[in-house]
Amino acid sequence: MPTPSLAALPIRRLTLRDLAACADLSENRGWPREEHKWGFLLTAGKGYGIDDPGGGLVSACAVTEYGPHDRPELAAVGMVLVADRYARQGIGRRLMRHVVSLMGTTPLTLHATPYGRPLYEELGFKVTGRAEMLRGIFTPGGPETKVATRPATAEDLQAILRLDEEVFGADRTHIITRLPAFADQLRVAEERGRIIGYTAAWPNMDTHVVGPLIARDTETAQALIASLAAHTDRPLRTDIDVRHEDLLAWAKERGLASVAFNTVMTYGIGELPGDWSRRFAPLTVAAG
């Protein structure tokens, strides 16, 4: 149980002014600082945290809402962190209960590490799937794909938004419209002038993270990943739904190695909306 002094510390909304403190908290727990990602989450979503009276943050998390602004249809919870010296004192549980209460009837989703999963299960989250994190230098090889890919243009935005909502199952215009500034690459796959998939590569420490990755089929997803890899010297990192076994096998044959597994969990909804068969990887596990 938390001590009375910790239990009395207020939970507040975080802003971009808290960016360095969030990155410090990540580093404190042995995670990369990920300032670029934290900045995105704090502007596209909402951050919640507890201040440490001694400076910095005791705890923090990010919530990204999807659907209409006044009545979100889904919210993703991520970056749930507690400073090392406050670990196992009920702080993470208190912050998560606050978020669950605040979101009311809005269904929630998150990617849980093995360490965090017991807490989320205790709060009522249910397991709905798994994602495998891959990382490595992509090495081209094998038969050449016939799927055409190219850099996205401003004229593609409306088609990308329509495809994304259809596959993701909720409107995330406020996320997708930030991708051109957030990502180093934004590419589309097309057939006869129609966009059949899209992806982005955004910088995260020394890697380029591949996500979102939405594609008509596995071949299209492969073409998109290969096209991103051809335009970067950094290692790629991505989190692929384990149901996409063919894509996982293909990526591993080309140099991406398994790093970890995260459990996909939901609260207030049995399954995630949308079409999982075309949803290969999230923008980031913190935002779904």
Side-chain angles (χ1 to χ4, degrees):
M1 295 293 291
T3 64
S5 57
L6 285 177
L9 295 175
I11 297 172
R12 67 171 177 88
R13 276 283 300 274
L14 302 177
T15 72
L16 271 179
R17 291 190 297 274
D18 299 298
L19 178 58
C22 290
D24 288 344
L25 184 59
S26 291
E27 199 168 54
N28 173 263
R29 292 317 306 254
W31 291 17
R33 290 183 63 81
E34 300 187 306
E35 291 186 28
H36 187 58
K37 181 167 77 173
W38 268 116
F40 184 87
L41 294 170
L42 291 173
T43 52
K46 299 172 181 176
Y48 297 94
I50 300 172
D51 290 310
D52 188 334
L57 291 168
V58 169
S59 182
C61 73
V63 179
T64 310
E65 298 174 1
Y66 300 109
H69 178 70
D70 57 342
R71 46 182 179 86
E73 298 166 347
L74 181 70
V77 184
M79 306 302 282
V80 182
L81 288 166
V82 177
D84 188 58
R85 73 191 189 101
Y86 293 107
R88 294 185 173 84
Q89 296 182 53
I91 296 295
R93 182 180 297 103
R94 180 179 166 219
L95 184 60
M96 280 300 300
R97 280 181 174 155
H98 177 81
V99 168
V100 170
S101 174
L102 206 61
M103 296 310 299
T105 59
T106 301
L108 305 177
T109 183
L110 54 78
H111 283 65
T113 64
Y115 177 81
R117 177 174 165 177
L119 167 62
Y120 304 130
E121 288 180 326
E122 178 188 322
L123 294 172
F125 283 79
K126 306 296 183 185
V127 174
T128 58
R130 283 205 313 163
E132 184 172 3
M133 182 192 295
L134 302 180
R135 185 188 187 280
I137 297 289
F138 182 89
T139 305
E144 219 174 280
T145 178
K146 296 176 182 177
V147 178
T149 67
R150 60 171 174 79
T153 67
E155 288 72 30
D156 296 321
L157 185 56
Q158 289 306 313
I160 289 173
L161 288 171
R162 284 194 298 271
L163 175 63
D164 187 81
E165 183 171 1
E166 179 184 327
V167 175
F168 186 76
D171 177 28
R172 51 178 181 172
T173 298
H174 64 303
I175 295 291
I176 306 307
T177 52
R178 284 178 164 87
L179 283 179
F182 178 66
D184 286 342
Q185 295 187 61
L186 180 60
R187 300 184 68 88
V188 296
E190 64 180 355
E191 182 181 76
R192 300 187 187 91
R194 183 173 67 91
I195 290 177
I196 58 173
Y198 85 95
T199 192
W202 52 272
N204 187 270
M205 312 308 289
D206 65 330
T207 69
H208 267 132
V209 177
V210 177
L213 176 56
I214 282 178
R216 180 182 63 185
D217 49 32
T218 300
E219 184 184 12
T220 305
Q222 292 170 349
L224 285 165
I225 292 175
S227 68
L228 291 177
H231 294 87
T232 180
D233 294 326
R234 296 188 186 193
L236 298 183
R237 202 187 92 197
T238 191
D239 297 85
I240 297 175
D241 186 319
V242 296
R243 290 173 289 188
H244 293 295
E245 296 176 359
D246 290 344
L247 183 64
L248 283 165
W250 174 87
K252 290 172 184 176
E253 289 168 0
R254 283 154 184 80
L256 274 63
S258 180
V259 175
F261 287 89
N262 286 318
T263 303
V264 182
M265 307 185 79
T266 57
Y267 180 92
I269 189 173
E271 295 287 341
L272 287 172
D275 180 2
W276 76 265
S277 70
R278 290 183 287 164
R279 187 175 59 232
F280 288 82
L283 166 66
T284 161
V285 294

